[in-house]
Amino acid sequence: MAMKAQLFKEIVIFVREYKGLSFYCLEELCGLYPSVNKDTLASILSYEYQTRLRFVHFKNQQARIRYWEAYTKGLKSKNKTGIIINIAKKEGISPCLIAKLIMLEYLKRSNKVGTEENMVQTVTKYLRNTSLIPDYKLAYEVFLCTVFDNLYSPVADVIRSSTGQQYEIQLHNEVTKLGLAFRDEEYLRKCGYDKTPDIKLEVSIAIDGFIVNWIESKALFGSEKVHKDYTESQYLSYWNRFGPGLVIYWFGYIETIIDPNNKNFMVCDHLPTDIIQIRNDK
């Protein structure tokens, strides 16, 4: 069922006005909106934080020295743990992003790595395995960031990737159970297609009178901006090549993206089972 625009607006306003870590923001959202699926809330939260980080990223690069100074100052204070976490709370930015910038400044000042490109590669390695960081205090601080950053830590990246794969597998299984013949994304790419849906049906189906030739799985919430971006970058390409299709936002979607006059693709939050296979038998 589509989410009402007013409810979506309330959730977005809460996220944008929240002061603190996304880790705790999600907990509060779950308490405020118990009727909304946690994955749905997490998806909305993630997108809003991504937008915020894109907006402030350049400023944060310039503020690298300031974050480093705040970190070194924190080491001298009585509260000697969770320093980077506290900086992230104050700035309203991802702890892991702050940690990356501080590690870059650490490497620059210690002359441990040469070029900026090498430093970035080293920081990525450090973030994935904090035990590799030579400075044990910094290593512990960065480790805390990976624990309390539920959006941009290496663990969060793995979970996000595996969740997407999980729902693609679920889609494959459901399509198979329905007895539908299809080709997957891997097969289509071998055939030379650069942009491909997750499922290309060999035999078209009809859902509520709408013809479907392909199915795309999205393990996220379909807001207006998300839907617009994917429509321009993916869905219209699929329509041009394969005709009309079906987009599944597994974590729901806002009601305003539904256009009854859209003949390119339909939107659902699940794979409908009440379908009709359209055969061209002669």
Side-chain angles (χ1 to χ4, degrees), residues 19-125:
K19 305 299 181 184
L21 301 178
S22 60
F23 183 90
Y24 296 113
C25 183
L26 180 58
E27 288 187 352
E28 293 195 33
L29 281 172
C30 291
L32 288 171
Y33 303 99
S35 63
V36 180
N37 186 283
K38 183 177 181 179
D39 289 330
T40 299
L41 294 172
S43 182
I44 296 172
L45 172 65
S46 176
Y47 184 80
E48 286 301 314
Y49 265 71
Q50 286 178 30
T51 303
R52 181 188 301 180
L53 293 184
R54 282 196 296 268
F55 179 75
V56 302
H57 183 66
F58 180 72
K59 182 180 71 174
N60 286 339
Q61 291 286 4
Q62 292 179 323
R64 195 163 88 184
I65 295 177
R66 180 165 61 87
Y67 293 150
W68 170 257
E69 290 175 347
Y71 168 69
T72 54
K73 182 180 179 181
L75 289 174
K76 300 174 184 177
S77 66
K78 292 183 179 180
N79 184 16
K80 294 185 179 181
T81 59
I83 300 169
I84 301 179
I85 293 289
N86 288 328
I87 296 173
K89 285 181 182 177
K90 182 179 178 181
E91 298 288 337
I93 301 172
S94 158
C96 283
L97 177 57
I98 299 288
K100 285 180 180 179
L101 297 174
I102 289 174
M103 284 191 287
L104 284 171
E105 191 62 22
Y106 161 75
L107 291 172
K108 180 180 178 181
R109 290 172 180 257
S110 61
N111 294 318
K112 291 184 178 296
V113 183
T115 66
E116 184 78 12
E117 182 179 353
N118 287 338
M119 287 197 299
V120 170
Q121 292 174 352
T122 301
V123 164
T124 300
K125 182 172 64 175

Side-chain angles (χ1 to χ4, degrees), residues 15 32 34 41 97 104 127 129 133 152 161 175-176 182 191 193 195 230:
V15 172
L32 288 171
L41 294 172
L97 177 57
L104 284 171
L127 198 62
N129 185 357
I133 302 175
Y152 300 104
S161 176
V175 170
T176 301
F182 67 92
C191 293
Y193 294 103
K195 292 185 177 181
Y230 276 119

Side-chain angles (χ1 to χ4, degrees), residues 162-176 182 198-199 217 250:
S162 64
T163 299
Q165 292 177 347
Q166 172 189 334
Y167 279 94
E168 287 180 17
I169 293 171
Q170 178 176 325
L171 174 60
H172 284 208
N173 290 340
E174 292 185 12
V175 170
T176 301
F182 67 92
D198 293 308
I199 294 291
S217 168
W250 294 102

Side-chain angles (χ1 to χ4, degrees), residues 122-133 139 142-143 146 154:
T122 301
V123 164
T124 300
K125 182 172 64 175
Y126 283 173
L127 198 62
R128 290 174 179 168
N129 185 357
T130 57
S131 65
L132 298 176
I133 302 175
V142 175
F143 171 74
T146 64

